[in-house]
Amino acid sequence: NAGVTQTPKFQVLKTGQSMTLQCAQDMNHEYMSWYRQDPGMGLRLIHYSVGAGITDQGEVPNGYNVSRSTTEDFPLRLLSAAPSQTSVYFCASRRQGSTGELFFGEGSRLTVL
Amino acid sequence: SQQGEEDPQALSIQEGENATMNCSYKTSINNLQWYRQNSGRGLVHLILIRSNEREKHSGRLRVTLDTSKKSSSLLITASRAADTASYFCATAETSYDKVIFGPGTSLSVIP
């Protein structure tokens, strides 16, 4: 099993450009989530989903959109990138329910110029 | 944010010593988890303790939870150079499926 796969691993954008960070998992996990990690601030939750067709906001949702059309995929869209969105983004999944470990991807490093 | 602080922010110890990291949180939780992150990698789950548990062990790891003080500690015994990493606590809210992380502790184990 591949686990949680994120693409791309690295991306450089110009301010105002749009892009989508892809996340796919092959563990049949209902729950998927996106975090951003900035120095000294740990991981902050952007959006999460408890199943196909269901998404909700986390701590820092502004500037990001998500959708969940399948159990396997949970893409994160930046419609108009800003320098403040320069960060490392992590996708994580787990079985549904409020217990259970999160499985993380290896991260996507985004730089917005 | 429901998450409080972790302390210390950074910890440097000699190989063989014990390392203790603390985590505080703000709201009622279902469980508390500890994760490890090696430089440039994703996070890896270490241990989970439920809100009705007070202590849990896994190998060289010992986690305690004090819900009255809304705090937890992670003890790594007999540390090794390979334990060098950042360690994060994360809490799962009782009402929602959000898992919120603290800022982490950077541990350096000197050979």
Side-chain angles (χ1 to χ4, degrees), chain B residues 7-70:
Chain B
D7 78 273
Q9 291 185 349
L11 180 61
S12 182
I13 59 174
Q14 296 289 327
E15 200 165 30
E17 294 180 337
N18 295 341
T20 300
M21 290 159 266
N22 302 296
C23 166
S24 64
Y25 57 92
K26 297 177 181 176
T27 65
S28 296
I29 61 171
N30 183 293
N31 65 67
L32 186 143
Q33 304 171 39
W34 285 90
Y35 288 79
R36 166 193 170 126
Q37 182 182 37
N38 287 358
S39 181
R41 305 297 301 273
L43 279 73
V44 175
H45 182 266
L46 294 176
I47 193 167
L48 178 152
I49 185 166
R50 290 181 168 76
S51 59
N52 61 354
E53 297 176 311
R54 292 297 168 258
E55 186 171 315
K56 201 162 184 180
H57 296 256
S58 177
R60 293 185 295 113
L61 305 180
R62 172 177 170 257
V63 171
T64 61
L65 179 64
D66 187 337
T67 53
S68 66
K69 296 181 179 179
K70 291 186 168 55

Side-chain angles (χ1 to χ4, degrees), chain B residues 72-100:
Chain B
S72 172
S73 67
L74 171 68
L75 169 67
I76 304 174
T77 60
S79 64
R80 306 165 182 168
D83 293 330
T84 295
S86 292
Y87 293 82
F88 296 89
C89 71
T91 53
E93 295 185 5
T94 52
S95 302
Y96 305 97
D97 281 305
K98 298 178 181 179
V99 177
I100 305 298

Side-chain angles (χ1 to χ4, degrees), chain A residues 31 35 37 40-43 45 48 50 57-59 90 94 96-107, chain B residues 1-2 30-31 33 35 37 40-45 48 50 88 92-93 96-104:
Chain A
Y31 180 95
Y35 291 87
Q37 184 175 29
M41 300 189 72
L43 280 78
L45 181 63
Y48 65 99
V50 298
Q57 297 181 348
E59 301 173 275
F90 287 97
R94 69 158 192 259
Q96 177 52 359
S98 57
T99 61
E101 64 178 283
L102 283 169
F103 293 83
F104 279 83
E106 289 296 304
Chain B
S1 169
Q2 79 163 70
N30 183 293
N31 65 67
Q33 304 171 39
Y35 288 79
Q37 182 182 37
R41 305 297 301 273
L43 279 73
V44 175
H45 182 266
L48 178 152
R50 290 181 168 76
F88 296 89
E93 295 185 5
Y96 305 97
D97 281 305
K98 298 178 181 179
V99 177
I100 305 298
F101 284 79

Side-chain angles (χ1 to χ4, degrees), chain A:
Chain A
N1 287 343
V4 179
T5 303
Q6 291 183 233
T7 56
K9 287 184 168 37
F10 301 94
Q11 183 72 48
V12 178
L13 289 178
K14 294 181 180 178
T15 297
Q17 287 185 318
S18 63
M19 78 156 300
T20 299
L21 298 177
Q22 302 290 346
C23 176
Q25 52 89 13
D26 61 359
M27 297 172 283
N28 203 30
H29 286 170
E30 299 91 343
Y31 180 95
M32 296 185 74
S33 55
W34 277 102
Y35 291 87
R36 60 176 289 174
Q37 184 175 29
D38 302 292
M41 300 189 72
L43 280 78
R44 289 182 291 170
L45 181 63
I46 304 172
H47 286 286
Y48 65 99
S49 169
V50 298
I54 306 170
T55 64
D56 207 344
Q57 297 181 348
E59 301 173 275
V60 288
N62 292 341
Y64 307 95
N65 282 350
V66 292
S67 60
R68 186 90 181 272
S69 56
T70 67
T71 299
E72 295 77 20
D73 301 298
F74 191 43
L76 179 71
R77 282 183 285 275
L78 287 71
L79 297 179
S80 179
S84 61
Q85 293 178 303
T86 293
S87 187
V88 181
Y89 292 85
F90 287 97
C91 179
S93 72
R94 69 158 192 259
R95 289 181 299 106
Q96 177 52 359
S98 57
T99 61
E101 64 178 283
L102 283 169
F103 293 83
F104 279 83
E106 289 296 304
S108 297
R109 183 176 294 273
L110 175 66
T111 301
V112 183
L113 302 176

